[in-house]
Amino acid sequence: MNSTSTTTQNFEVHDQKVLNWAKEIIENSSSPRLIQKEIVDAVDRNAIWRGQECLNLLAPEAPTSPTVRQLLASEVGTRAAEGHIGPTQRWFSGTKYIDEIESLCVELLKKVFNCNYADHRLVASMIGNMTVYAALTKPGDNILTIAQPLGGHSSNRYDGPAGIRGLNIFDVPMDPVDLVVDIDEFAKAAREVRPTLVTLGASMTLFPFPLKEMSEIVSEWGGKIFFDGAHQLGLIGGGQFQDPLNEGACIMTGSAGKTFSGPQSGIIVWNDPNLTQPVCDTIFPALAATHQVNRVAALAASAAEFLAFGKEYMAQIVANSKALAKALHDRGITVLGAHKGFTETHQVIVDVKKFGGGLDIAHKLAKANIITNKNLIPSDKPDDWDYPSGLRIGTIEITRLGMKEAEMDIIADYIVRVLEDQEPVESVRKRVIEMRTAYQKIHYCFD
Ligand SMILES: *Cc1c(COP(=O)(O)O)cnc(C)c1O
């Protein structure tokens, strides 16, 4: 034990101070039962603070409905099920009800996304992206993906699944002001590199992509478009964004826990039967075995909510982000995309460089119970990762709590009070708690 602790002591990716806090609790507790209580207490502290007292404006977060939460804790989550749906393609017996849950999930996803195929077994969208790279590319292939300062995500870069697959990664040319693909530059870059796959995956996402034009260009050499719709998945399902599978993308992945507002999961959908074997062979047995049937049940339940409320809910999310962006802009804050109506999604991107940058501002806002995240923006370099200039704000949670355009004005006011030091954060925090107290119910669900 001593030898391992001395060798591992030298390197730790996690913050040592926080780990030491936990170590101390574990070592000083008189019984494991009390240690378990510490865990439950931390969960409860979070539920009160983040669940009841904060304005959660994190773009990748969504509150799930009571039914979805209940299903996540259900008995079926202790059952093992791997393989494909049906009596012959599973390893375990006793799965007749599990087959019902899983098939309802698959058919509901097909209906929401209006597509021929959907898979429910991916625990995260990262795994969905790994699935696409494993199924549709070979090591050494060229691909084009979006660089991080322009909205791209690590899963499609060298440090993520695309890098693990051994792909050569080139940038999708983006216009840094209009925040869309520069189609002329794209045509040039793509014709030179002739990528097997062009991935459109954006964590910072304000406007649609010229998918039709892009897919026509890559079809010259049989290239394909992969739409990583992690963020926009719900907007797409609710008909409030472009429809990638209909506009030229051959496959789409997405995070069920972002705009889709279900349990954190990966979703993958496609139309071409020729993709079914390579994609499903990669999912099982390569990237998923026991695939958490409680999560699948919760995903199916959230897809049912989506059929009933998706359109109205997603339209209000976009209306709220437009209203919030305009309210910030009207108060003199630099909001990206101002010349194009700010945003067509759940996101608002703000340049906070002059207030000290994204890291400091996100922490300062969190002290006022306003939760956002630091974000790279086009004026940053990839190396500015720790200290970027931008702030990303999302309207999913506040919308599901029932807030509308009028509340966006109040929230913009609170944000500006903090940014411009008009009022101590403690005092803004009191206002936030008071406002949030009136919004505790989850809307757009059957509960
Ligand atoms: C969030 C995100 C992912 C990863 O999704 P998870 O469900 O968290 O694994 C992949 N791609 C993009 C563009 C994202 O924003």
Side-chain angles (χ1 to χ4, degrees):
M1 183 202 149
N2 276 342
S3 69
T4 45
S5 63
T6 46
T7 50
T8 54
Q9 219 168 32
N10 297 330
F11 180 72
E12 182 59 72
V13 295
H14 304 295
D15 187 298
Q16 193 64 56
K17 246 169 68 189
V18 185
L19 288 182
N20 287 345
W21 169 87
K23 218 181 204 169
E24 221 163 275
I25 297 245
I26 293 166
E27 277 161 15
N28 295 338
S29 291
S30 54
S31 78
R33 183 193 178 130
L34 288 174
I35 303 173
Q36 189 188 60
K37 188 169 179 304
E38 289 288 345
I39 300 161
V40 174
D41 288 350
V43 168
D44 289 345
R45 284 194 291 276
N46 197 66
I48 290 169
W49 183 47
R50 297 292 304 282
Q52 296 173 12
E53 298 179 347
C54 281
L55 288 168
N56 293 293
L57 305 176
L58 280 182
E61 274 185 4
T64 45
S65 70
T67 297
V68 166
R69 287 185 205 189
Q70 200 183 341
L71 288 170
L72 277 174
S74 60
E75 180 271 352
V76 82
T78 65
R79 304 299 155 203
E82 53 182 50
H84 308 301
I85 296 169
T88 56
Q89 307 196 78
R90 302 240 199 223
W91 196 244
F92 310 118
S93 62
T95 55
K96 64 178 176 180
Y97 300 124
I98 290 171
D99 279 340
E100 294 176 4
I101 296 164
E102 292 193 23
S103 58
L104 282 166
C105 187
V106 168
E107 292 304 325
L108 276 163
L109 291 176
K110 289 186 200 171
K111 200 169 166 67
V112 170
F113 294 103
N114 192 22
C115 61
N116 297 337
Y117 299 97
D119 205 283
H120 58 298
R121 289 170 289 187
L122 304 165
V123 296
S125 211
M126 294 297 275
I127 312 291
N129 291 3
M130 187 75 235
T131 301
V132 172
Y133 291 123
L136 271 64
T137 68
K138 297 184 305 304
D141 280 359
N142 292 342
I143 64 166
L144 258 63
T145 77
I146 302 169
Q148 270 115 335
L150 289 135
H153 186 259
S154 60
S155 54
N156 306 310
R157 305 297 284 176
Y158 282 112
D159 46 354
I164 288 179
R165 185 61 172 157
L167 301 168
N168 301 317
I169 302 170
F170 300 86
D171 293 349
V172 171
M174 298 280 292
D175 183 313
V177 177
D178 283 349
L179 303 161
V180 289
V181 172
D182 182 331
I183 194 72
D184 296 332
E185 288 301 316
F186 172 78
K188 265 192 244 163
R191 284 185 179 122
E192 195 179 311
V193 167
R194 296 168 78 86
T196 313
L197 208 61
V198 172
T199 303
L200 297 175
S203 304
M204 175 173 73
T205 172
L206 297 174
F207 304 111
F209 294 90
L211 267 167
K212 276 209 174 89
E213 292 98 313
M214 295 178 81
S215 71
E216 272 161 28
I217 292 165
V218 298
S219 71
E220 291 168 16
W221 55 89
K224 292 191 164 75
I225 307 266
F226 157 35
F227 196 87
D228 167 3
H231 267 271
Q232 310 95 338
L233 191 72
L235 302 175
I236 293 164
Q240 304 302 315
F241 198 64
Q242 61 193 146
D243 184 2
L245 289 186
N246 256 321
E247 294 169 28
C250 73
I251 195 158
M252 175 169 80
T253 58
S255 302
K258 297 180 184 173
T259 47
F260 191 71
S261 303
Q264 290 175 344
S265 296
I267 289 177
I268 185 165
V269 291
W270 67 100
N271 280 327
D272 179 358
N274 293 316
L275 294 182
T276 303
Q277 198 76 53
V279 168
C280 292
D281 284 353
T282 307
I283 293 170
F284 180 81
L287 296 175
T290 302
H291 46 251
Q292 307 168 341
V293 188
N294 54 325
R295 179 192 57 76
V296 176
L299 181 58
S302 59
E305 289 166 2
F306 222 84
L307 282 182
F309 307 103
K311 193 168 175 214
E312 186 197 352
Y313 174 24
M314 294 298 126
Q316 190 62 49
I317 281 179
V318 177
N320 281 352
S321 60
K322 283 178 189 288
L324 182 58
K326 182 170 186 304
L328 288 166
H329 173 82
D330 289 348
R331 288 168 173 79
I333 305 299
T334 307
V335 184
L336 269 59
H339 63 299
K340 302 173 59 178
F342 305 105
T343 177
E344 298 292 329
T345 69
H346 59 303
Q347 296 187 5
V348 177
I349 309 294
V350 178
D351 183 340
V352 290
K353 199 181 176 92
K354 72 171 182 196
F355 299 109
L359 179 71
D360 284 354
I361 287 301
H363 283 306
K364 195 169 165 192
L365 284 166
K367 286 196 184 121
N369 280 12
I370 299 171
I371 313 297
T372 59
N373 71 272
K374 64 176 182 182
N375 218 82
L376 289 168
I377 54 175
S379 56
D380 291 321
K381 291 179 195 59
D383 288 349
D384 295 326
W385 186 259
D386 287 336
Y387 301 97
S389 308
L391 193 72
R392 186 177 60 167
I393 300 171
T395 55
I396 309 174
E397 179 157 331
I398 51 177
T399 304
R400 202 168 202 189
L401 290 171
M403 296 187 198
K404 300 251 162 75
E405 287 87 336
E407 285 76 30
M408 299 306 113
D409 213 49
I410 300 171
I411 293 171
D413 182 57
Y414 293 165
I415 291 173
V416 173
R417 280 171 198 244
V418 174
L419 290 187
E420 295 185 344
D421 287 320
Q422 292 172 3
E423 189 178 332
V425 283
E426 261 308 306
S427 148
V428 179
R429 195 169 81 95
K430 286 201 189 99
R431 292 180 195 276
V432 167
I433 293 173
E434 197 180 329
M435 178 189 188
R436 180 62 212 278
T437 304
Y439 296 91
Q440 298 291 336
K441 200 175 141 254
I442 305 290
H443 292 244
Y444 309 103
C445 66
F446 305 110
D447 299 293

